[in-house]
């Protein structure tokens, strides 16, 4: 074996106070919200489910409200109750409700709930009777996603039951909504078909007396690309965090990505050509090189599929992860470029400083950026920058 030269910069330059962090730009979230709100010129329900798409439920909620959001949307009731417990007072809708949901708690906290079926409405009505409060309800209609919502066959029965409950003062139907299957493909024929079914369903509901309900259909992609889906309110999520649901990069979309995922190198070493790197030795450098060890892995939400595929900014250039991503760590090959323990690397961010974007990572690991930002966590620490929504 040849004697390896000791490259400069292999001893630490600084400590590890920021070993691995997710930096969230609250001002970016507020600016994206304001831009979309201005574009649609109608109420905007900001979706902050799944811990604010991995950006933090409360900071994200406060930032979208600072940006002009009119209401908040979450999947499950616990998320809505957490918002209320933290003092958020705007309308909040929880739409993913199953049998036995604690609707009494929802009513006590003034949380709006969505209903898919007559049995669900009956549970809400029972809670309204039990608490003496009127439940604010959104009725969900399945227009072709075959996910939430009543089918066209079941819709008239649900509407009739809701109209009776509204006449009795037990519920106030404040929303009529559905969700698109193909909004990220704005010319797809299913969109016009779903809009048509939605119009029929909402007309039927209005004719049955549910005239005060806002109609809402548009997710982020539809909010950006499909004005004919905006109806009375839009319901974007991912775009608020600066990620383009249509797969574009930030420069094209005009959105400001709010999340930067970074870590610090904890060890560097010179190795000869041909060494095997990480489990299974799936990477072997062709020449003598410098390896850098990064202390995050799949337990922290860095997908294992990123091994040998996803790019990371290190020592001034993007480099694919060398070999497999492990539970707690992965390796980079930086060639002869200078790097030292403590130096920063960036997995993804806005892309403005040469780092990869979440879209680039999504392409590399064959997923969508939604999955990346909602999974990153584990031992990453979250740090907020910007002032939007900060008291
Ligand atoms: C998640 C979700 C949204 C937001 O979707 P984006 O693509 O992130 O804008 C809107 N409506 C429903 C029902 C959802 O589940």
């Amino acid at each position: 074996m040849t004697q390896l030269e000791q490259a400069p910069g292999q001893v630490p330059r600084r400590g590890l106070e920021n070993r691995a962090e997710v930096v969230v730009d609250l001002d970016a979230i507020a600016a994206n919200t304001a831009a979309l709100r201005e574009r649609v010129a109608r109420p905007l329900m900001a979706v902050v489910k799944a811990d604010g798409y991995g950006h933090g439920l409360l900071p994200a909620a406060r930032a979208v409200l600072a940006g002009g959001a009119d209401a908040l949307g979450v999947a499950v009731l616990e998320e809505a109750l957490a918002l209320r417990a933290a003092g958020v007072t705007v309308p909040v809708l929880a739409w993913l409700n199953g049998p036995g949901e604690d609707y009494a708690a929802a009513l006590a906290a003034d949380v709006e709930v969505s209903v898919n079926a007559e049995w669900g409405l009956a549970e809400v009505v029972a809670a309204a009777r039990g608490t003496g409060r009127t439940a604010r309800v959104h009725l969900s209609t399945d227009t072709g996603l075959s996910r939430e919502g009543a089918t066209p066959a079941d819709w008239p029965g649900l509407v009739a039951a809701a109209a009776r409950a509204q006449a009795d003062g037990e519920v106030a139907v404040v929303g009529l909504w559905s969700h698109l299957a193909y909004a990220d493909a704005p010319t797809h024929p299913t969109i016009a078909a779903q809009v048509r079914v939605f119009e029929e369903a909402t007309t039927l509901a209005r004719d049955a007396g549910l005239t005060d309900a806002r109609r809402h259909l548009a997710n982020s992609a539809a909010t950006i690309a499909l004005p004919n889906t905006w109806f009375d309110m839009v319901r974007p999520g991912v775009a608020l965090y600066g990620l383009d649901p249509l797969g574009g990069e930030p420069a094209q979309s005009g959105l400001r990505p709010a999340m930067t995922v970074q870590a610090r190198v904890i060890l560097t070493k010179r190795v000869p050509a041909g060494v095997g790197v990480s489990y299974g030795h799936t990477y072997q450098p062709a020449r003598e090189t410098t390896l850098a060890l990064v202390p995050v892995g799949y337990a922290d939400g860095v997908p294992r599929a990123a091994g040998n595929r996803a790019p990371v900014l290190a020592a001034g250039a993007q480099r694919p992860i060398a070999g497999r991503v492990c539970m707690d760590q992965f390796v980079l090959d930086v060639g002869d470029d200078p790097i030292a323990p403590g130096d920063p690397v960036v997995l993804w961010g806005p892309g403005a400083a040469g780092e990869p974007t979440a879209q680039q990572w999504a392409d590399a690991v064959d997923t969508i950026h939604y999955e990346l930002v909602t999974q990153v966590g584990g031992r990453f620490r979250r740090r907020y920058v910007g002032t939007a929504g900060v008291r």
Side-chain angles (χ1 to χ4, degrees):
M1 192 195 261
T2 56
Q3 181 74 32
L4 294 177
E5 91 188 67
Q6 179 68 39
Q10 304 238 349
V11 292
R13 277 201 272 269
R14 62 175 74 80
L16 275 174
E17 63 280 3
N18 303 320
R19 183 179 64 228
E21 56 178 12
V22 173
V23 182
V24 175
D25 181 351
L26 298 169
D27 294 343
I29 296 174
N32 294 325
T33 308
L36 291 180
R37 178 71 175 76
E38 186 178 12
R39 174 163 165 68
V40 299
R42 69 199 71 200
L44 182 151
M45 175 183 283
V47 181
V48 295
K49 64 187 179 185
D51 203 18
Y53 285 56
H55 297 69
L57 174 67
L58 288 168
R62 293 187 177 124
V64 295
L65 293 172
D70 303 270
L72 300 174
V74 293
V76 298
L77 194 50
E78 288 85 342
E79 297 173 306
L81 296 176
L83 289 166
R84 283 286 183 260
V88 172
T89 56
V90 297
V92 177
L93 167 64
W95 58 69
L96 203 59
N97 302 310
E101 244 20 284
D102 190 354
Y103 290 118
L107 289 177
D110 196 23
V111 169
E112 299 177 359
V113 295
S114 176
V115 161
N116 295 305
E118 286 186 58
W119 60 261
L121 182 69
E123 291 192 16
V124 174
V125 166
R129 289 190 185 136
T131 59
R133 292 170 182 257
T134 300
R136 293 170 65 81
V137 169
H138 296 240
L139 300 182
S140 178
T141 174
D142 181 358
T143 56
L145 181 61
S146 303
R147 214 180 69 176
E148 305 99 329
T151 62
D154 293 337
W155 179 249
L158 176 59
V159 164
R164 284 194 298 277
Q166 178 162 286
D168 293 344
E170 290 152 343
V171 309
V173 177
V174 296
L176 301 167
W177 71 279
S178 189
H179 198 47
L180 294 168
Y182 262 108
D184 55 347
T187 58
H188 199 275
T190 57
I191 293 167
Q194 283 197 257
V195 168
R196 207 176 321 112
V197 175
F198 188 63
E199 279 169 345
E200 286 165 13
T202 53
T203 300
L204 185 143
R206 290 178 157 197
D207 289 350
L210 304 179
T211 49
D212 291 340
R214 275 187 187 148
R215 300 161 301 168
H216 50 106
L217 178 62
N219 61 2
S220 292
T223 300
I224 290 170
L226 297 167
N228 67 322
T229 66
W230 292 349
F231 291 93
D232 305 318
M233 181 165 72
V234 295
R235 208 175 60 231
V238 83
L240 305 173
Y241 308 96
L243 300 173
D244 184 355
L246 302 160
E249 289 294 357
Q252 303 159 275
S253 68
L255 298 166
R256 281 171 56 187
M259 179 185 286
T260 300
V261 178
Q262 57 193 30
R264 289 193 186 273
V265 170
I266 63 159
L267 180 67
T268 61
K269 59 181 73 173
R270 282 299 276 184
V271 296
V275 294
V277 177
S278 193
Y279 291 132
H281 285 178
T282 60
Y283 181 79
Q284 295 170 351
R287 304 188 316 155
E288 179 181 323
T289 194
T290 300
L291 301 179
L293 184 61
V294 181
V296 287
Y298 59 77
D300 307 297
V302 178
R304 189 165 176 277
N308 287 321
R309 292 162 80 183
V312 173
L313 176 66
Q318 291 186 17
R319 344 200 165 234
I321 290 172
R324 288 196 186 138
V325 172
C326 310
M327 188 184 293
D328 321 298
Q329 49 195 299
F330 65 77
V331 178
L332 294 171
D333 177 351
V334 301
D336 295 331
D337 291 338
I339 194 161
D343 281 0
V345 304
V346 185
L347 285 71
W348 68 79
E355 75 278 16
T357 60
Q359 182 64 49
Q360 260 178 278
W361 263 69
D363 293 343
V365 304
D366 196 19
T367 184
I368 53 176
H369 47 45
Y370 294 76
E371 188 179 30
L372 296 169
V373 295
T374 54
Q375 301 250 323
V376 71
R379 291 157 288 187
F380 278 99
R381 281 205 307 216
R382 224 186 254 138
R383 179 161 64 87
Y384 292 96
V385 298
T387 58
V390 179
R391 279 174 283 195

